Structure formats: structure tokens, C-alpha cells
């Protein structure tokens, strides 16, 4: 089904992603996209996705994955919460978050590939267009077809600089994959 993802209407991307994650035993799937102010990650709404309040880029696990461009794993009571950066070429789009009971190397490889496909689908189908920092703002008008609000390409910002900007990026409970 993912091989036809470029041909699907944008409103079907969320259910497809949720279905694919569920197929490998995942749950609580969120797609968090960078807002235009470049301060938070905002939930993409859609059937099958868990919506959250905006997540700050600095000081959150999702923000750590975004800023360092590496997967972050966090042990929780009901499994492992993963935060995977959504990268399209040199552009950072956002983060895909999900929970698995356990995670092994095969899961990590599969999820990195899935995250790449999700980023590609979002860019190709231009579903990623924020009118404000909050998807639920009724006065916000979506900027359909607008360019993606990426801050800088990876080549414009050294990895070490991004990693230093993440408080607590080395704590014992978080682990980069």
C-alpha cells in the first residue's frame, strides 16, 4: 500500500501511517510538524493519529529527536516511546512518535524507513501546511500548497551545534538509536 502513497489524497495519509504502525504492534502514533514560528512541534490531525498539545522544540524528547536528527527512545511503564525525525532530503519536517512493547534492531530499521516515507508523503502531497501554531485555531486559514516551514537545511546547521542546543540530551532515560 505504501508504494501508492504518492497518489493518495492528503487526508488518507494519517490513517495509512497509523495502520502501518499498528501492523508492527505500535500504538499511540503522532505526527508532529514544525510550526512556522519554529518553536514547537504541532500534531497533524487525522483518523488513527493521537493528537497532542504543541510540543516545545527545546526541552522535549520530540524536540531532541528533531534537533539532533536522531531517533530517541524513552522507556515507559507500558513499553518504549520512540521519536523519529521526519527528514526529506536536507529538510527537517517534524517527528513521528509511537509506542512499542519492545524494540529491537529490526524495528529500528523498519521505523527509520517508515519515517522517511512519511516525510516524503507529507512533502509530496503538501498536507503539511500550517496556518497558525495551533491546528485547532478556528480563525487560522490553512496555507494549502504553501512551502514547508523548515528552519534550515541540515547542511546549514552543524550537527554539534544542534545537539548542544538540546538541554538534557544525554540523560539516562533517553537513548538515541
Amino acid at each position: 500500500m505504501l508504494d501508492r502513497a504518492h497518489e493518495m489524497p492528503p487526508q488518507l495519509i494519517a490513517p495509512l501511517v497509523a495502520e502501518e504502525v499498528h501492523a508492527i504492534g505500535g500504538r499511540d502514533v503522532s505526527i508532529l510538524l514544525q510550526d512556522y514560528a519554529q518553536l514547537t512541534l504541532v500534531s497533524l490531525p487525522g483518523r488513527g493519529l493521537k493528537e497532542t498539545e504543541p510540543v516545545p522544540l527545546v526541552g522535549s524528547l520530540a524536540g531532541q529527536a528533531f534537533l539532533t536528527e536522531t531517533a530517541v527512545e524513552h522507556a515507559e511503564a507500558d513499553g518504549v516511546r520512540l521519536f523519529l525525525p521526519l527528514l526529506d532530503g536536507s529538510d527537517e519536517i517534524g517527528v513521528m512518535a509511537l509506542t512499542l512493547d519492545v524494540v529491537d534492531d529490526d524495528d529500528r530499521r523498519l521505523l527509520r524507513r517508515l519515517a522517511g516515507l512519511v516525510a516524503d508523503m507529507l512533502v509530496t502531497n503538501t498536507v503539511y501546511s500550517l496556518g497558525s501554531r495551533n491546528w485547532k485555531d478556528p480563525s487560522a486559514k490553512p496555507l494549502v500548497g504553501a512551502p514547508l516551514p523548515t528552519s534550515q537545511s541540515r547542511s546549514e546547521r552543524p550537527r554539534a551545534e544542534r545537539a548542544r542546543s538540546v538541554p538534557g540530551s544525554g540523560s539516562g532515560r533517553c537513548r538515541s538509536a
Side-chain angles (χ1 to χ4, degrees):
M1 188 174 214
L2 282 175
D3 59 333
R4 297 187 52 116
H6 296 293
E7 302 169 14
M8 61 185 350
Q11 68 270 20
L12 296 181
I13 292 175
L16 173 65
V17 171
E19 179 182 319
E20 293 297 321
V21 169
H22 181 72
I24 63 165
R27 62 188 176 279
D28 299 330
V29 184
S30 295
I31 296 176
L32 305 167
L33 305 173
Q34 182 184 23
D35 72 346
Y36 278 120
Q38 301 175 0
L39 299 173
T40 62
L41 295 167
V42 182
S43 287
L44 176 71
R47 189 174 45 116
L49 295 181
K50 178 181 177 182
E51 290 188 50
T52 66
E53 291 297 316
V55 177
L57 282 176
V58 176
S60 69
L61 296 172
Q64 179 182 344
F66 181 83
L67 293 170
T68 63
E69 299 172 10
T70 58
V72 173
E73 297 179 10
H74 182 265
E76 296 185 343
D78 65 342
V80 180
R81 187 81 175 150
L82 291 103
F83 301 88
L84 299 125
L86 298 174
L87 305 171
D88 181 62
S90 63
D91 290 328
E92 297 173 82
I93 308 296
V95 172
M96 181 173 68
L98 61 110
T99 301
L100 291 172
D101 290 335
V102 294
V103 181
D104 63 22
D105 288 340
D106 290 335
D107 295 325
R108 289 180 186 99
R109 273 190 299 278
L110 177 66
L111 290 169
R112 276 194 305 269
R113 289 180 182 157
L114 180 59
L117 288 171
V118 169
D120 189 48
M121 285 189 294
L122 291 169
V123 171
T124 302
N125 289 291
T126 63
V127 68
Y128 173 24
S129 56
L130 296 171
S132 75
R133 289 178 44 198
N134 186 344
W135 284 98
K136 297 178 182 179
D137 180 354
S139 65
K141 296 182 180 169
L143 303 173
V144 177
L148 302 175
T150 55
S151 56
Q152 293 178 319
S153 72
R154 290 186 283 177
S155 61
E156 294 170 351
R157 208 169 24 140
R159 179 177 292 272
E161 177 185 315
R162 288 189 308 275
R164 280 194 303 271
S165 69
V166 181
S169 63
S171 69
R173 294 199 58 185
C174 302
R175 183 170 64 93
S176 296

